[in-house]
Each structure stands twice: as C-alpha cells, then as structure tokens.
Amino acid sequence: MKIAIHIGAHCTDDDLLTKSLLKNAGQLFQEGVAVPGPTRYRRLLGQIMVKLKGSVASTDTQDMLIDELIDSKEVERIILGHENLLGAHHRAIEGGRLYHLAARNTSWLRNLFPDHDVSLFIGISNMANFVPDLAARLDDEKREMMLGSVDPRDLFWADVIENIREANPDTPITVWCNEDTPLIWPNVMQVISGMDSEDKLERGSLDILERITKPEGMKRLRTYLHENPFQNEVHRRRILAAFLDKFAKDGAVEHEIELPGWTQDLVDELTKNYESDIKEIANIPGVTVLSP
C-alpha cells in the first residue's frame, strides 16, 4: 500500500488540501486512491503513536489500521493529513527551535506502517508570515512565551526537513511554499494523489484562489476559463496570476504585521532568508520542491 501523508505545516492551507481532495473522492476511488475523512483516523493515529512510542508496528497492528482507513480491497493509495503531526500549535516554535519534535513525530508516524510505501508532504511559509500567523492562534501566555524564546532570523525550514529526512531516510518528502499555492494548487492535489499529469482532478482546483479573491473576480475567472480553456499549465498559471493581481481581496496577498519590535527591515531580512532556505531544501536528497 502507498500511503501519502500531509504533515502540515501550521498556518498554511488550514486543512483545505484534505477538503479539496475529498471533493474528488469518487474520481480518485476509481483510480485506486482513498481519501478517508479526518474524523475516521486522526485520533486513532495519535493514540497508536503514543502507545507504541516509536516502536515498529506489528503486522496485525498495520492490518488493523489499514482496515480502519479503507473499506475496499481495490485501494492502492491512501491519503492522510493533519497539521498537528509535527506538534501542536504551541509547540511549533519552542525553546528557540522550529518543530523540534518533527524528527521524532515523523519517525513514530512512519513506524506505524513499516511494511508500506510512505511519502510525506508539507507546505511551508515565509517566517515573516508564519511567526505572526502562529502567534495569532495562541493565547496571551503561550504567545508571549513563544515570541520571547526565539529570534525569527534563526528559524529555517531546511533544518526541519533535514531532521525529518535523517529520521526517515527511506521516506521521500515533497515541499511547496504556501505563498505559491494559488498558482500551483492543482499540482499539489495531483502530486499527493499520485495521479498522472494527464488525469486532471475535476473539483477543488480553485479552492485556494477562492479564499483570497473577491467574489466578482472569481465569477469572471470561472466564466473566462469556461470560454477560454487554458492551453497548458504555464498558460493556466498566467491566467490565474492576472486575475489575482486584479481581484485579490484587500490584505489577502499582503497583510500588516503587528508584533512588538518587528520592522520592515526585519521582514525583508526574513524574506531573503526564506529564498535561500528554499534553495537549500531543493538540494536535500530525497526532497522534491514544487514551484510555479
């Protein structure tokens, strides 16, 4: 069995990937791909991970898990996902480190399915966006603790990805930037589902764009795409970029950051670090970076 697992990160798609894939559950099932509903497995996976604490699951435990995940013997690939697999929100930045539990948690997760072909998928975000977005989700005490424990200039996604790879050397990782998702969302859906590039998923391809585009813009975009089908992927992304440039909701593409001591110079430095970070990630063996 092939098992594709979306492991986060926090403050990226907020479970939209699972929701978009579920819209295509029927089409995917015809291709041997199952997208179980989150309530079917998230608590169960967590309970067994904690129980085993990194021990390799027995054949009986694996069979039990697979039986809980799917109802058909025709399935060849299962897609799972939960943004807390690398740690809860308040542990995403802890002790001055980014996802310090990532290696342990993904190793525990991988050991639930030792006899199966597991691959990991993660969306990342510029620290200039990630830290403020994460801070906004924490209560006052945890927010103060997090912000007081770290310099955002010391946080790099490459460290997290390298730690995951070292803990799971046989497990490929696919990475994409959350900032790119309005343009590459269909590609993300397709890659995690294991579909051939010729087999387009019928629904959900505009979900991420719909979140950040004004209603009148989405209406005009759907009409335009219906009357002018895109010629190829590059053409599609150019069309979406043009509509997003014209119809993006106020504050959807760029938003003000209100954290103590944060300046435009800091944001610029974090953005420069992020660009270098992505290049470093692309050079990690066993890692694929999706880009526009």
Side-chain angles (χ1 to χ4, degrees):
M1 183 71 68
K2 294 182 179 179
I3 303 175
I5 308 176
H6 179 212
I7 58 174
H10 293 109
C11 309
T12 54
D13 70 274
D14 294 322
D15 242 3
L16 187 60
L17 181 55
T18 296
K19 295 174 183 177
S20 296
L21 290 169
L22 281 169
K23 292 180 179 179
N24 297 274
Q27 180 186 353
L28 288 168
F29 182 75
Q30 295 299 318
E31 301 295 330
V33 181
V35 189
T39 57
R40 184 167 182 168
Y41 63 85
R42 285 183 175 173
R43 177 179 291 184
L44 177 63
L45 288 185
Q47 289 173 341
I48 298 179
M49 284 172 64
V50 171
K51 181 178 180 179
L52 294 181
K53 294 184 177 179
S55 298
V56 176
S58 66
T59 300
D60 287 344
T61 299
Q62 294 178 73
D63 291 344
M64 179 275 292
L65 276 171
I66 297 297
D67 287 342
E68 289 291 330
L69 293 172
I70 59 176
D71 299 315
S72 172
K73 300 297 182 182
E74 304 300 317
V75 170
E76 300 176 351
R77 185 182 185 91
I78 304 173
I79 303 174
L80 309 174
H82 192 2
E83 66 177 3
N84 286 337
L85 287 172
L86 298 182
H89 282 87
H90 66 279
R91 308 205 70 180
I93 299 175
E94 192 173 43
R97 297 176 59 192
L98 178 64
Y99 287 117
H100 71 100
L101 297 176
R104 187 203 72 175
N105 285 10
T106 53
S107 178
W108 285 17
L109 181 64
R110 179 67 183 88
N111 284 341
L112 295 183
F113 306 101
D115 298 333
H116 299 276
D117 183 1
V118 175
S119 52
L120 303 177
F121 298 80
I122 180 171
I124 63 175
S125 177
N126 186 343
M127 287 301 155
N129 296 321
F130 182 76
V131 174
D133 288 346
L134 186 64
R137 301 188 182 197
L138 303 178
D139 61 39
D140 292 344
E141 181 180 354
K142 288 186 173 63
R143 183 186 308 114
E144 184 176 350
M145 185 180 302
M146 182 196 76
L147 294 176
S149 71
V150 69
D151 183 336
R153 287 167 289 204
D154 294 333
L155 302 177
F156 294 92
W157 291 105
D159 295 338
V160 177
I161 304 302
E162 286 178 347
N163 289 339
I164 294 174
R165 278 294 295 168
E166 289 177 3
N168 307 274
D170 66 336
T171 306
I173 304 173
T174 299
V175 181
W176 60 88
C177 297
N178 188 56
E179 295 81 7
D180 294 333
T181 50
L183 302 183
I184 67 170
W185 194 241
N187 188 215
V188 173
M189 293 171 61
Q190 198 157 4
V191 169
I192 196 171
S193 62
M195 300 280 280
D196 292 334
S197 58
E198 293 79 13
D199 298 325
K200 302 297 182 182
L201 295 176
E202 297 174 356
R203 301 176 179 178
S205 63
L206 298 178
D207 283 358
I208 202 88
L209 199 69
E210 195 162 15
R211 283 187 171 184
I212 61 176
T213 303
K214 296 175 182 177
E216 63 269 27
M218 287 304 302
K219 182 178 180 180
R220 291 180 63 174
L221 174 60
R222 294 182 190 280
T223 300
Y224 182 87
L225 291 176
H226 178 73
E227 297 175 351
N228 305 274
F230 55 85
Q231 301 169 7
N232 50 49
E233 186 62 18
V234 173
H235 184 219
R236 186 192 70 82
R237 293 178 184 181
R238 286 176 178 171
I239 292 172
L240 298 186
F243 271 83
L244 184 59
D245 183 58
K246 187 173 183 179
F247 295 107
K249 293 178 181 177
D250 295 338
V253 178
E254 296 182 0
H255 59 278
E256 293 186 9
I257 297 173
E258 299 180 356
L259 288 180
W262 281 56
T263 64
Q264 185 60 49
D265 286 342
L266 175 59
V267 170
D268 292 343
E269 184 175 354
L270 293 177
T271 301
K272 185 176 180 180
N273 288 350
Y274 187 45
E275 293 169 354
S276 300
D277 207 11
I278 296 166
K279 293 178 181 178
E280 186 171 345
I281 292 170
N283 289 324
I284 300 174
V287 175
T288 300
V289 176
L290 305 180
S291 70

